[in-house]
Amino acid sequence: MGLTERRKAATQLEIAREAAALFAERGADGVTAEEIARRAGVSPRTFYRYFRTKEEAVAPLLAGGAARWLELLAAAPAGLTVPQALAGAARDALAAPGEPEREAYRWTRGLLRAAAADPALRAVWLKVNQESEDALRAVLAARTGLDGRDLRTRLTAAAATAAIRVAIETWAEGDAPAAGPGSPADLGERAMRDLTAALDG
């Protein structure tokens, strides 16, 4: 990624963080795109260059873990089976070793709780998951040598993405910490192992 792309990504993430903070304070209905832009230090024009709606502004924050999962899966040792690689990548991608990751999870918890009652936010979350599933198909195809349109590849990508989504939603609904027992990494690895036990069979 070049310097310009990194700057754009950093700007998008800053907007996402400010949007998440404002949504947590007042709910999405009580926030305008102009307020988000002002808090992020950008103009409304810049905001709308990146996002069509205020709800879409949180997508980079929600998508961060998925991108990390795909990177780890693509880099997993060739000797691992697909189920082993999926579970290991899920555990490592969802880990929260430091305060930045734990802070991101606090935002994620607030957003997912709000999304349960906000169709627009829910749509953003589901879109992030669909995009992750589509990208996962390509990673799995490269790893297995199968066509990304192959039925097994599609089923594996759909089921694995759903397992991670359910694990994160389960965590967000409760009060478990971002690290340790009951955390996203713990639930994600457990969900993936339960799912992939069938794939090993």
Side-chain angles (χ1 to χ4, degrees):
M1 183 184 292
L3 179 59
T4 299
E5 288 73 20
R6 289 199 299 272
R7 285 176 175 168
K8 287 181 179 178
T11 298
Q12 288 176 311
L13 187 57
E14 181 59 25
I15 293 171
R17 287 171 175 160
E18 295 300 340
L22 284 167
F23 290 169
E25 289 173 13
R26 304 202 298 269
D29 286 344
V31 177
T32 66
E34 288 72 21
E35 286 181 283
I36 297 170
R38 186 165 56 251
R39 282 272 291 260
V42 301
S43 68
R45 181 177 179 180
T46 297
F47 177 94
Y48 284 114
R49 184 184 307 149
Y50 294 126
F51 307 108
R52 292 183 302 169
T53 68
K54 61 185 179 182
E55 290 85 4
E56 284 186 4
V58 300
L61 193 61
L62 294 174
R68 178 64 175 154
W69 180 39
L70 294 171
E71 290 173 3
L72 290 168
L73 180 60
L80 296 180
T81 65
V82 167
Q84 288 171 336
L86 284 168
R91 178 195 62 235
D92 294 343
L94 296 173
E99 182 55 30
E101 293 84 4
R102 293 170 191 176
E103 183 179 27
Y105 272 129
R106 286 194 289 272
W107 288 329
T108 299
R109 173 172 268 157
L111 287 172
L112 292 185
R113 287 180 174 179
D118 188 314
L121 276 179
R122 181 70 177 172
V124 171
W125 172 235
L126 294 178
K127 181 181 178 184
V128 164
N129 279 272
Q130 183 60 58
E131 290 172 348
S132 176
E133 178 185 327
D134 293 343
L136 179 56
R137 283 169 53 192
V139 174
L140 289 172
R143 188 172 186 87
T144 63
L146 296 174
D147 192 305
R149 296 167 294 181
D150 175 78
L151 178 61
R152 184 174 180 84
T153 302
R154 295 176 72 104
L155 285 173
T156 301
T161 303
I164 295 297
R165 176 181 58 77
V166 170
I168 294 174
E169 289 176 350
T170 299
W171 171 80
E173 290 171 2
D175 297 311
S183 67
D186 178 44
L187 295 179
E189 184 178 18
R190 285 163 51 191
M192 198 60 63
R193 290 196 183 283
D194 286 347
L195 169 68
T196 56
L199 298 178
D200 269 331

